[in-house]
Amino acid sequence: RRPPTSLSTPSGARANRRAMGESDDEMRDAVADEGAKAEAEDQPMEADSDSDDEDRRPPHKRTDGDSEPSPPRRRTPPRERSPRRDEPKKEKNPTRKNPPMEMIIGAEDAAFLVGTGGKTKDKVARVSGARLDLLDADDGKHRLEIFGKDENRRKAKQYVQWVLRQRVGPITVDTDSERRDDLSVVSVPLDCVAYVMGKNGIVLRNIEEEYGTLMFFGKPTSGTEEGVEKLMILGSRRSRRGAELKVMSAVEHKRKGFFVDEKKELRRRLEQVGDGEGDGWGYDVFPFHDDEFSYALGAQGSTRKKLAAASGCILEYIGDVAVMAGNRDERRRCWDYLNWLLKQRKGALNVDPKGRDDVLELPVPSGKAGRLSGKGGNVLRSIEKETSTFCFLTDHRAAADGESRDELMLIFGQDKRGRYMAMDLMEDAMEGKYQPKGGGGGGGPMGGAGPMTIG
């Protein structure tokens, strides 16, 4: 059975009129009148259908003749489809502005340039800021393509030529025609050259790795001296200064008094390209007294490395002096940290952290300090190493009523994320949830000083 037809629809009206005996012509006239009436009321005439589906879109509104028609809507341009991962990326500029600089080298030179595990080629690329691709060429040759900015490509090509020159003889560096902004020169006594090089050049390679430099002994066209070899250090201002101080430390350890005099001052002022530019870059000299050197060095140089990482400053020990290099803020932090470290040897340390932007304060409940420090200070030293921070407890004093109060752990460091990470790890340590990672080194009241080494 069909449901009764609604009288409000045209189909229902026609059925009703048939039931009343109206003719087909009369019904057509009635339908036409309904359509005209619907148009006059600005409503579309409903379709003749028994379906329940309806169009939910609102009817189009017409504008009166007196009002201006609304402007047509702008069609939103279709969004570009993001490329699929398996589709090759299109170059923004198919024609390269800086085509690669090319060098054709032999098989032996190519193997020497690549080095063990590609380290030599990667080192040249890192120091020059260019990209090096080594490809096969004809007749057993290799084609070296150098990509990057003009200045970076020029440096990379020069560095490659110097590296390959080491296979056949001494390297001559032109220091007369132009003042290079990527070169520092350090004098090394003849009897210290082998010590600085190390077996198979391992010491020099380690310095290059630590500070991101390229180093080799060569002959500059100016500034020659008798009884010394000239060590060329290539890289940025910061990396060159760090490598320079590391070499000076090794030479002073081998021949005491070569760089530092009896007054514990440097015999020569450090003057390399990039110094004295008025931007706050510089260095400070901190003299050690008595046995402070070994205490500030730590086992395998661990304490020195900790202070350098926490302050963000270059820190190297040359004989009986510490040399700090960096901007003003870095040197200020490093000076404070080293000074506080040495004061700990004489007893508890009380430092007021107010006004500093490099510190966090962590209250340590009574009885938790031992768990936080760990056996021989291994827990605290491990946290410092993991987060590049310098931490110690302030002077513990009794409360006014005679009861003990919480001690205060000060967490110093130039990196905000590192300080908060150290705080989280310390809270875990006080709950017994932290396991130290290896040795933390010496220095400080919770750790012991190690043997005197070049670190």
Side-chain angles (χ1 to χ4, degrees):
R1 296 180 182 177
R2 289 188 179 182
T5 307
S6 172
L7 298 180
S8 61
T9 61
S11 57
R14 284 194 296 271
N16 190 35
R17 290 189 181 99
R18 276 197 188 94
M20 296 175 65
E22 293 184 5
S23 64
D24 292 339
D25 293 337
E26 291 173 338
M27 286 190 292
R28 282 195 296 269
D29 294 338
V31 170
D33 293 338
E34 290 175 2
K37 182 178 180 181
E39 184 177 359
E41 295 177 354
D42 198 18
Q43 295 292 336
M45 185 175 65
E46 296 180 2
D48 184 9
S49 174
D50 293 336
S51 173
D52 293 333
D53 295 336
E54 297 180 0
D55 189 355
R56 299 293 183 180
R57 290 174 295 180
H60 176 68
K61 293 184 179 180
R62 300 188 183 125
T63 57
D64 297 335
D66 297 338
S67 61
E68 296 181 359
S70 59
R73 292 180 60 187
R74 293 185 179 181
R75 190 174 183 180
T76 304
R79 297 179 61 183
E80 296 184 1
R81 183 174 60 90
S82 58
R84 296 172 56 185
R85 293 184 178 180
D86 55 351
E87 292 181 357
K89 295 182 179 180
K90 296 182 180 180
E91 295 183 356
K92 294 183 179 180
N93 187 4
T95 59
R96 296 172 180 167
K97 294 183 179 179
N98 295 323
M101 185 181 292
E102 296 184 356
M103 297 177 62
I104 303 298
I105 59 178
E108 294 183 356
D109 283 342
F112 188 79
L113 175 62
V114 172
T116 305
K119 288 184 178 180
T120 304
K121 183 172 72 71
D122 294 342
K123 176 173 58 181
V124 173
R126 181 178 65 248
V127 177
S128 65
R131 194 185 90 220
L132 277 64
D133 291 343
L134 191 61
L135 309 173
D136 293 334
D138 299 332
D139 302 329
K141 301 285 186 179
H142 295 269
R143 185 174 75 255
L144 179 66
E145 294 184 347
I146 306 174
F147 298 88
K149 297 180 180 179
D150 293 339
E151 181 66 16
N152 301 113
R153 290 184 297 149
R154 183 188 64 80
K155 289 181 179 179
K157 182 177 181 180
Q158 182 70 79
Y159 297 169
V160 170
Q161 292 173 342
W162 284 335
V163 168
L164 299 180
R165 181 65 180 171
Q166 296 180 67
R167 299 182 60 243
V168 296
I171 304 172
T172 301
V173 179
D174 183 10
T175 55
D176 289 324
S177 60
E178 61 176 340
R179 181 177 173 85
R180 301 183 63 101
D181 62 354
D182 60 341
L183 175 65
S184 295
V185 182
V186 180
S187 298
V188 178
L190 294 177
D191 59 347
C192 296
V193 172
Y195 182 75
V196 172
M197 287 284 296
K199 187 177 181 180
N200 297 325
I202 185 63
V203 175
L204 216 57
R205 302 290 85 83
N206 288 340
I207 298 176
E208 288 178 329
E209 184 70 20
E210 180 177 356
Y211 285 106
T213 57
L214 177 64
M215 304 168 65
F216 56 85
F217 283 96
K219 294 183 178 180
T221 56
S222 62
T224 58
E225 299 179 49
E226 294 292 335
V228 299
E229 288 282 350
K230 295 294 185 177
L231 180 63
M232 309 296 169
I233 305 176
L234 297 163
S236 64
R237 177 176 67 173
R238 187 180 190 88
S239 61
R240 286 185 287 111
R241 176 50 48 82
E244 175 189 13
L245 295 176
K246 178 71 77 175
V247 172
M248 292 173 63
S249 175
V251 171
E252 188 68 19
H253 182 75
K254 180 70 174 178
R255 183 191 279 192
K256 188 174 179 61
F258 187 80
F259 288 114
V260 181
D261 60 17
E262 297 80 4
K263 299 179 181 179
K264 298 182 179 180
E265 297 177 353
L266 296 179
R267 293 185 180 275
R268 295 183 181 180
R269 181 175 177 81
L270 301 180
E271 292 181 348
Q272 299 287 1
V273 178
D275 292 331
E277 295 186 355
D279 57 351
W281 172 264
Y283 70 92
D284 296 323
V285 178
F286 187 107
F288 290 118
H289 301 291
D290 302 327
D291 58 345
E292 291 178 341
F293 176 87
S294 59
Y295 185 81
L297 182 64
Q300 304 299 319
S302 58
T303 304
R304 177 194 63 80
K305 295 175 183 177
K306 174 183 66 177
L307 298 179
S311 62
C313 183
I314 298 172
L315 177 63
E316 294 291 345
Y317 300 164
I318 305 174
D320 292 330
V321 300
V323 180
M324 311 166 188
N327 59 41
R328 292 187 181 93
D329 290 338
E330 293 168 345
R331 287 182 281 131
R332 177 185 59 84
R333 285 193 297 264
C334 190
W335 187 283
D336 290 341
Y337 298 172
L338 180 57
N339 190 38
W340 293 336
L341 176 77
L342 297 177
K343 285 184 177 181
Q344 290 177 348
R345 300 172 68 241
K346 301 178 181 179
L349 186 62
N350 185 24
V351 175
D352 186 5
K354 293 182 179 180
R356 300 188 66 99
D357 59 357
D358 61 339
V359 63
L360 285 180
E361 303 177 23
L362 176 64
V364 179
S366 179
K368 295 287 187 178
R371 179 175 289 183
L372 178 57
S373 63
K375 184 178 180 180
N378 64 331
V379 172
L380 188 59
R381 299 287 84 81
S382 176
I383 293 176
E384 287 179 324
K385 184 177 181 180
E386 188 174 348
T387 60
S388 297
T389 55
F390 173 52
C391 312
F392 55 86
L393 288 167
T394 57
D395 186 13
H396 172 69
R397 297 174 182 175
D401 54 4
E403 296 181 358
S404 61
R405 65 175 186 181
D406 292 352
E407 295 181 281
L408 190 64
M409 174 66 72
L410 298 182
I411 305 172
F412 288 93
Q414 54 98 14
D415 182 35
K416 182 178 180 180
R417 293 179 59 184
R419 298 195 300 268
Y420 277 99
M421 181 179 178
M423 177 179 286
D424 291 340
L425 295 179
M426 288 180 185
E427 291 175 346
D428 291 342
M430 287 187 289
E431 297 297 328
K433 301 177 181 179
Y434 176 79
Q435 293 296 328
K437 300 179 179 180
M446 298 181 183
M452 177 175 173
T453 59
I454 295 298

